[in-house]
Amino acid sequence: MKTIDLEKICEGAEKIGISGHVRPDGDCVGSCMALYLYLKKTVREADISVFLEKPAEIYNSLQGVDEIRTEAGEDEVFDVFFALDSSADRLGEAEKLFRQAKKKVNIDHHISNEQGCGDENYVIPAASSTSELVYKLMKKDKVDAEIAKAVYIGIIHDTGVFQYSNTSPETMRIGAELIAYGFDFPKLIEETFYEKSYVQNQILGRALLESVLFMDGRCIVSVVEKKTMDFYQVTPKDLDGIVNQIRNTKGVDCAIFLYQTGVLEYKVSMRSNEKVNVAEVAAFFGGGGHMRAAGCTMSGTYHDVINNLSLHIEKQFQKKD
Ligand code: 5GP
Ligand code: MN
């Protein structure tokens, strides 16, 4: 896919909007804030807003997070609206703003959104992160330490600190360029990726303790019910990273983590090491993501959900064995 030209796209725009997916993760927050800071610097005459659900507190050190708008006005019409790390239908509050914008731009790396949903699309499924893509569109002489830090956060979160198979030589080169801006990257990695609060560790421990191996030890599943979340007083944001931890179990290819979002409703997170294309499994149930990390929301009891997912995971194993 050819690249897009941010300068041309924003030329003459008076009102610019930026948004990312619901339940924003590090890449979503990082890419939105990086583009926000960059456009404020380079399209000075425009009124620029960024719309997101309130990010987790770990992102508070990013410049501009306190300017994020969590609610969208009904009749606001933007000259240009960017959907980052997301398809239009996952923008939540901002979906209507995107759809009624004069120019829609989509920058993403989800294979489940390969076609793109904008008038202009820059969707590269092979890219490590949307943050990497946003950085590639920037004029390097306009990047500063705060922008670099936001891009870096996005990349480390989507690559598991340059570990997952989506990390390319280019990702590493960009990582090197970014740390040259001089922000405190070890602290950023520690505080946003590894450090957990006491209750986060407690619920992680619970999820590990109660995890169950199945399919001859090739899959693992763990569930956190609403009542357990209430007991530990945790919110969905506190459950980030649990699925990666259960995936580390020796012999496991596919890890599934569920948390209850309503009566007979679960949010599903899936990870795979090698064989199962979890993007395909998630897409079947109306979700999406990447080959090695994907998610969806499913209805039914915990057992219904696992049975339904298992059928599709089994098929994936059969394809590869
Ligand atoms: P996580 O398991 O960390 O929530 O998500 C893993 C990946 O799958 C992320 O890239 C995330 O954006 C994507 N994803 C998670 N849930 C959904 C969903 O319900 N729909 C779509 N389209 N993508 C999802
Ligand atoms: Mn991403």
Side-chain angles (χ1 to χ4, degrees):
M1 182 183 288
K2 66 174 175 47
T3 186
I4 56 171
D5 186 338
L6 288 181
E7 218 163 78
K8 244 197 201 147
I9 286 171
C10 296
E11 203 174 11
E14 288 173 9
K15 212 168 151 55
I16 299 176
I18 301 167
S19 186
H21 59 77
V22 290
R23 304 175 216 254
D25 57 10
D27 183 33
C28 180
V29 178
S31 57
C32 286
M33 295 321 296
L35 185 64
Y36 176 62
L37 296 174
Y38 179 82
L39 292 182
K40 283 220 302 189
K41 236 174 132 171
T42 55
V43 196
R44 303 183 85 96
E45 62 286 1
D47 171 22
I48 306 171
S49 299
V50 54
F51 298 89
L52 281 176
E53 283 177 10
K54 193 174 166 24
E57 279 176 16
I58 49 173
Y59 303 114
N60 283 355
S61 75
L62 285 181
Q63 196 176 74
V65 277
D66 49 339
E67 290 157 35
I68 288 174
R69 294 176 57 185
T70 51
E71 274 166 41
E74 279 291 327
D75 45 11
E76 268 184 282
V77 177
F78 288 81
D79 296 310
V80 182
F81 203 100
F82 290 89
L84 302 187
D85 202 37
S86 182
S87 47
D89 59 342
R90 282 185 83 212
L91 292 174
E93 277 275 310
E95 180 178 348
K96 56 180 180 289
L97 300 182
F98 180 74
R99 294 201 189 277
Q100 70 204 23
K102 292 182 191 153
K103 199 186 284 171
K104 303 182 239 317
V105 187
N106 188 201
I107 306 173
D108 193 8
H109 70 135
H110 286 90
I111 196 159
S112 49
N113 181 35
E114 217 171 357
Q115 302 308 315
C117 57
D119 306 312
E120 301 238 18
N121 297 298
Y122 186 46
V123 181
I124 313 281
S128 72
S129 52
T130 301
S131 300
E132 180 175 322
L133 292 175
V134 165
Y135 177 73
K136 283 170 72 168
L137 296 175
M138 292 175 177
K139 291 228 158 67
K140 301 302 172 280
D141 58 338
K142 298 287 192 322
V143 176
D144 58 33
E146 291 299 330
I147 296 170
K149 188 173 153 185
V151 173
Y152 193 80
I153 272 211
I155 295 178
I156 60 169
H157 278 255
D158 262 22
T159 61
V161 194
F162 303 103
Q163 184 203 347
Y164 305 150
S165 55
N166 59 357
T167 308
S168 67
E170 192 173 21
T171 314
M172 300 302 276
R173 279 192 286 273
I174 290 173
E177 279 175 37
L178 293 171
I179 62 171
Y181 283 91
F183 55 89
D184 190 347
F185 75 89
K187 186 162 173 250
L188 197 66
I189 293 173
E190 178 57 28
E191 288 181 355
T192 74
F193 196 78
Y194 291 111
E195 189 178 271
K196 299 287 170 202
S197 68
Y198 180 60
V199 285
Q200 282 171 338
N201 272 335
Q202 282 193 309
I203 199 123
L204 166 66
R206 246 323 258 262
L208 289 174
L209 194 68
E210 291 174 4
S211 63
V212 178
L213 284 172
F214 63 111
M215 280 188 209
D216 296 326
R218 300 203 287 179
C219 284
I220 192 164
V221 63
S222 192
V223 61
V224 171
E225 302 286 350
K226 182 81 175 52
K227 61 177 188 301
T228 312
M229 291 173 68
D230 292 344
F231 179 80
Y232 289 100
Q233 296 190 318
V234 294
T235 64
K237 285 175 195 155
D238 295 311
L239 307 175
D240 266 7
I242 293 182
V243 68
N244 293 317
Q245 203 60 48
I246 59 171
R247 193 254 316 258
N248 283 341
T249 312
K250 193 171 164 70
V252 161
D253 186 68
C254 181
I256 307 166
F257 175 67
L258 315 174
Y259 66 86
Q260 194 181 6
T261 47
V263 181
L264 296 178
E265 190 189 83
Y266 291 88
K267 177 73 196 155
V268 179
S269 274
M270 288 181 282
R271 298 290 185 272
S272 87
N273 285 323
E274 199 190 322
K275 293 199 168 157
V276 177
N277 179 343
V278 288
E280 274 185 18
V281 178
F284 185 86
F285 296 104
H290 314 283
M291 269 164 72
R292 303 277 158 258
C296 53
T297 298
M298 289 174 71
S299 317
T301 64
Y302 162 66
H303 287 104
D304 293 336
V305 170
I306 292 305
N307 285 338
N308 288 329
L309 287 170
S310 294
L311 285 174
H312 291 266
I313 293 170
E314 188 90 65
K315 274 191 206 147
Q316 294 274 332
F317 276 126
Q318 280 162 3
K319 259 199 245 174
K320 297 283 158 60
D321 286 343

